[in-house]
Amino acid sequence: MTQAPLKSAQTLLVLGIETSCDETAAAVVSRDSDGRGRILSNVVRSQFDAHKIYGGVVPEIAARAHTVCLDEIVAAALQDAGVSLHDVDGVAAACGPGLIGGLIVGAISAKALALAADKPFLAINHLEAHALTCGLTDGVTPPYLMLLVSGGHTQLLLVEGVGRYQRLATTVDDALGEAFDKTAKLIGLPMPGGPAVERAALKGDPKRFKFPRPMLGRDDPNFSFAGLKTAVRHAALPLSPLSAQDVADLSASFQAAVCDSVCDRVGRAMARVIEGLPVASPRKFVVAGGVAANKVLRTALVGVAEDYGFSCHAPPLELCTDNGAMIAWAGAERMALGYRDGWDARVHPRWPLDPDAAPAVGAGVKA
Ligand code: KG4
Ligand code: ZN
């Protein structure tokens, strides 16, 4: 039996490190000269237990936890891939946006590894890594319309190429993942809230509570979730203590409202994109970020894409939430274009993909 060589002369092998929030992760991916990617290893350790009693991620605890286990995780990623540090062509780390302590841990470790092995260092924008993941898993190439839905961001972006993003819409208050997490806390579900709400909703009635569909029908494709979260609070308070059925129904009704609102916003953006596209251009839609792991939302988005004639792509569930493979892949894509970063590259707690986007109209805008 012959086996394809792990690495030809034109294949890039990149080690990626992710420490921007509460997952310590490292991975090795390869990128062939034709742009095809392969995951050789992907090790993710969640800090869930360390933060559980606080009901949310504590930045100082997160940073310390990354320092404790990052070397083990990197060693495991290299071992699983069957390579040594000297075999890789570059070392990439998430350098923002995110919690500054964790970002510093990941960036300094990656720089040290790259320096020791005499390899290039790549400073990766975590949002860009989410945005490009479908290139690794499905071979989807820009341009495409992307819905990025994570714990800190909810945006619609035109992905024109690596490093080239145009923001079409954003949330005017909470990010969608944040809305899931806060709603979960409100109704007594554990962290991380998104998967807990999705699980509870399986046994719930999505029609029991008539929650608002924020921004429905608005001309701009922006998002808002703060009012929906408040509506859940108002519905839950008089029912306290909540029965298991109440929790299931609240979850299902919340999730249904989210899907209706997000699908309306995505449809609006698709209509805008179509207006600006030359006739017969391919229409591609990608959803990425932690909330893209929600199966009900994924299914609903497939329907919207069909309505507007877009192909619909989403990474496999385990690559929606934070991981090292997406960082390594973004590093490989950047290396293929000839980029590398200096040892003085900084970390950025805030690092928008489209820094020139005009602020959305509304209070408390998040980039
Ligand atoms: O992308 P991610 O792992 O981290 C950030 O970059 O923020 O996203 C984490 C967010 C959390 O808010 C989590 O509750 C949410 O993604 N999430 C989900 C699901 N899985 C993760 N939300 C809804 N349904 C899910 N199945
Ligand atoms: Zn993320």
Side-chain angles (χ1 to χ4, degrees), residues 208-209 231-242 246 250:
R208 174 165 164 204
F209 299 97
V232 176
R233 182 192 302 278
H234 287 315
L237 273 178
L239 299 174
S240 182
L242 299 174
D246 292 335
L250 286 164

Side-chain angles (χ1 to χ4, degrees), residues 125-301:
N125 183 316
H126 176 96
L127 303 177
E128 171 157 73
H130 277 304
L132 300 178
T133 302
C134 262
L136 167 65
T137 57
D138 290 43
V140 181
T141 52
Y144 48 82
L145 172 67
M146 187 182 69
L147 172 67
L148 174 63
V149 272
S150 67
H153 295 82
T154 298
Q155 303 185 341
L156 279 158
L157 295 146
L158 271 183
V159 179
E160 292 161 350
V162 175
R164 292 189 290 129
Y165 303 92
Q166 203 185 315
R167 198 188 78 192
L168 301 182
T170 186
T171 176
V172 299
D173 42 54
D174 291 349
L176 184 50
E178 188 182 0
F180 266 99
D181 293 338
K182 288 179 176 171
T183 299
K185 201 168 172 182
L186 202 77
I187 59 178
L189 289 171
M191 296 288 290
V197 168
E198 184 176 11
R199 261 193 317 275
L202 288 173
K203 293 189 179 144
D205 174 4
K207 297 207 172 101
R208 174 165 164 204
F209 299 97
K210 309 274 174 281
F211 290 140
R213 272 52 181 163
M215 312 296 255
L216 203 75
R218 272 254 308 240
D219 195 38
D220 66 68
N222 288 323
F223 302 86
S224 165
F225 299 106
L228 176 55
K229 181 191 66 195
T230 306
V232 176
R233 182 192 302 278
H234 287 315
L237 273 178
L239 299 174
S240 182
L242 299 174
S243 68
Q245 195 56 54
D246 292 335
V247 171
D249 293 344
L250 286 164
S251 297
S253 301
F254 166 80
Q255 195 172 251
V258 161
C259 287
D260 285 354
S261 173
V262 170
C263 288
D264 176 74
R265 312 291 62 222
V266 168
R268 195 57 55 137
M270 285 178 172
R272 281 198 175 181
V273 168
I274 292 169
E275 275 169 32
L277 276 180
V279 182
S281 306
R283 299 174 186 179
K284 297 184 226 172
F285 172 68
V286 168
V287 56
V291 188
N294 187 289
K295 294 191 259 327
V296 179
L297 181 62
R298 285 164 86 102
T299 306
L301 288 168

Side-chain angles (χ1 to χ4, degrees), residues 18 20 126-127 130 148 150-151 289-290 320-323 326:
E18 161 59 39
S20 68
H126 176 96
L127 303 177
H130 277 304
L148 174 63
S150 67
C320 289
T321 45
D322 293 347
N323 63 84
M326 68 180 195

Side-chain angles (χ1 to χ4, degrees), residues 17 91-93 95 104-123 341-347:
I17 293 176
V91 184
C95 286
I104 290 172
V105 173
I108 290 186
S109 305
K111 283 181 190 175
L113 290 167
L115 196 57
D118 194 20
K119 306 288 178 183
F121 166 71
L122 288 308
D341 291 285
W343 304 119
D344 58 350
R346 303 174 70 124
V347 296

